Amino acid sequence: MSIENEELRRRLNILQDKLESGMLKISPHVYEKLESSFAAMRYDSDGKIDLDSVDSSIRAMANGITMFHDREENKKAIPLAEIQRAYFGFINANFAPFYEMMQKANKTPNDIAQFFSQKATTRNELVQSIPPFLEHIKELWDSCGEIAWTHLEDMDCLKLSHSGDLFPSYSHNVASKCGIYSDTIVLPDPFVRTLGLYEMWNDEQKVYYFLKHALSVLIYKDLALTELTTPIVVVLPEPQYFEEHERDFIQQLSEKDGLKLAGNTFDRKFESLDDAKDFFISLDSKQKVINEVRDESRILADLDIGNNIGEQLDELCSNPLSIMHGLTPGQMILTNFLGRMGQANDALLKSRRVRGVPLIDAPTSWRYFNWKLQLDGEQLEQSSNEQLHVTHALTSLDGTELSWLGNIPPESLIEIRKQGALEEIRSIMSENIGSLVEASPNKFGETSYQVYKNFQNAFEAHNTKVNELRNKKWKFGGVDIGSMVCAGAIELTAAATGSPLFGVVGWATGQLLDTPKLREIPQKYRDLAEEDKKLSNSPVGILVQCKQ
């Protein structure tokens, strides 16, 4: 029997099993159309289906059912948690000493990577270990990369797909910013994203990025490996790694959008990429660019530099690509447009694949992504657009009174989920966002301010409740119990939960207190303790504790 026939028989058997077990139900009007096809099926003397008796309708149904069957079987064979343990376990086994050193010295991945990449002895040792390390990473993703993405695609939760940079900045934990909103944050494996660059780098650059990426990844290890219904963080290879057509498709989109962006910037219409190349190669000086440009704000290398077009051009032209290949300022502008639109399209495609939204925490990358949305002239679905607005708001809190929300410790993110507080926190920050997005889909500043106000209102309401507890004029044993609530002086929660005595912690009331027995505590004090406990363990209370 040919391989094709064996596979067809396997698919027909799966279809038959699903029908007989009742796992597959066919609606009456559909069955009427297929009834004659089923009736025509015959079996040989061995009880096997005669393949010649199976028409195209049954074959198509068997193909569809088998696809879903195989998908589920693959997920059962290799759970997502097992894939993540293998990935992080391998990296931790190789880099744990460096990571422990970084933590003890209170340094960043960048600090450690710079130090050892400049140290000849260590650099020479690490360079030798890079090829086998990368080969192991490739083997891991070759064996289970697609299955990992299948797990993620089928997860029914709010997912954010990190995009814009090779990996989140080492200066902050992106999950600390957005983990109080999303269920799962998808991070790209930085080793896979830079596979083609190692051949171009010198030894110092190789070791620098090798160490920096490994230590940056390990920052997320606890969040990825904590056993929860849905993981807080997962690290996966880009879909381009195992789908060849993906890269070509993104390139086509980037050329289309890059030409649009170039046309809007210079108020010209480019019929083709060659047409654009002819124009931009002629801009062989910065002054010629300035003379031709119509929208200077689109000449953007780095938002942190400011609005001066000359400084933005200097930054663009300082790119190693420009120096290596002698590109004109105009060519660098076109190259930048194409690259940035490639990033933006990649961000959209990845997020749609996992049924989530992009997470872009780099301001310059976000600006280009926003331009991409404007170029499309069409909006995301309302729910996805709301999620995108709230996510952007969380990445924009730096420099405000709520910047501390970007420093939620991993253990607190884990606790928020274990306490079941995530949904309420998400509801708080999303209040009134839907109407703003519907009225002005592209005005992210308005929704960012609304999220800021939502948090402030929630914290003010929480403080009001705390003050109400503190202002209760209840005394016991000569102590103003209300004033001690939330101050850590008297452990009322211990009384409420059955501990035999109060816990007395460094309080300054100017008097001695005979510790009362639990049975002497009136019910109203127990009620007060329980109210304090609920307030402290509320979703907003947990966030306030993170700030403290």
Side-chain angles (χ1 to χ4, degrees), residues 181-222:
Y181 178 63
S182 67
D183 291 294
T184 299
I185 296 174
V186 188
L187 302 180
D189 177 5
F191 298 107
V192 168
R193 298 195 83 179
T194 54
L195 280 174
L197 298 176
Y198 277 91
E199 295 179 1
M200 301 169 54
W201 289 331
N202 60 39
D203 286 356
E204 185 172 326
Q205 291 171 318
K206 289 177 182 177
V207 171
Y208 170 77
Y209 285 106
F210 187 54
L211 272 175
K212 179 187 172 188
H213 289 156
L215 298 178
S216 297
V217 164
L218 287 176
I219 288 173
Y220 295 90
K221 179 169 70 75
D222 292 342

Side-chain angles (χ1 to χ4, degrees), residues 33 192 204 263 345 362 410 450 514:
K33 298 178 181 178
V192 168
E204 185 172 326
N345 279 290
Q450 183 62 50
D514 292 329

Side-chain angles (χ1 to χ4, degrees), residues 48 58 263 339:
K48 295 181 179 180
I58 300 299

Side-chain angles (χ1 to χ4, degrees), residues 110-140:
N110 181 65
D111 297 329
I112 300 298
Q114 281 189 337
F115 177 78
F116 285 107
S117 64
Q118 294 169 9
K119 193 174 180 181
T121 305
T122 309
R123 181 176 65 238
N124 293 337
E125 291 177 358
L126 287 172
V127 163
Q128 301 302 316
S129 65
I130 291 176
F133 178 92
L134 294 179
E135 190 59 36
H136 184 90
I137 290 290
K138 288 193 291 183
E139 288 176 1
L140 172 66

Side-chain angles (χ1 to χ4, degrees), residues 418-547:
K418 289 182 176 179
Q419 293 284 352
L422 180 62
E423 190 60 43
E424 185 172 336
I425 294 174
R426 182 185 295 158
S427 177
I428 289 170
M429 67 181 78
S430 302
E431 189 173 356
N432 299 321
I433 295 298
S435 57
L436 288 176
V437 172
E438 188 172 2
S440 304
N442 291 319
K443 291 188 177 180
F444 288 88
E446 291 185 7
T447 47
S448 292
Y449 180 64
Q450 183 62 50
V451 170
Y452 173 86
K453 286 203 315 184
N454 289 344
F455 273 122
Q456 289 288 45
N457 292 340
F459 292 138
E460 287 174 7
H462 176 81
N463 290 337
T464 298
K465 293 177 182 178
V466 170
N467 289 333
E468 287 175 359
L469 279 182
R470 287 178 172 171
N471 291 331
K472 291 182 183 294
K473 301 302 180 182
W474 292 348
K475 291 182 178 293
F476 185 71
V479 176
D480 183 349
I481 298 295
S483 67
M484 310 307 284
V485 172
C486 305
I490 296 183
E491 199 175 309
L492 286 173
T493 302
T497 55
S499 297
L501 302 174
F502 276 81
V504 181
V505 187
W507 54 286
T509 59
Q511 58 185 309
L512 296 176
L513 171 67
D514 292 329
T515 306
K517 298 289 187 282
L518 178 63
R519 63 177 177 273
E520 298 172 339
I521 301 175
Q523 184 62 43
K524 64 180 179 180
Y525 299 127
R526 296 196 193 188
D527 293 341
L528 178 62
E530 186 61 30
E531 191 174 349
D532 173 46
K533 179 184 176 183
K534 289 180 180 179
L535 192 57
S536 296
N537 291 334
S538 69
V540 177
I542 294 173
L543 289 181
V544 170
Q545 292 173 47
C546 292
K547 179 182 180 181

Side-chain angles (χ1 to χ4, degrees), residues 301-316:
D302 188 340
L303 272 175
D304 291 338
I305 293 176
N307 298 322
N308 185 286
I309 185 173
E311 293 178 356
Q312 292 290 347
L313 283 170
D314 287 340
E315 181 68 17
L316 272 177

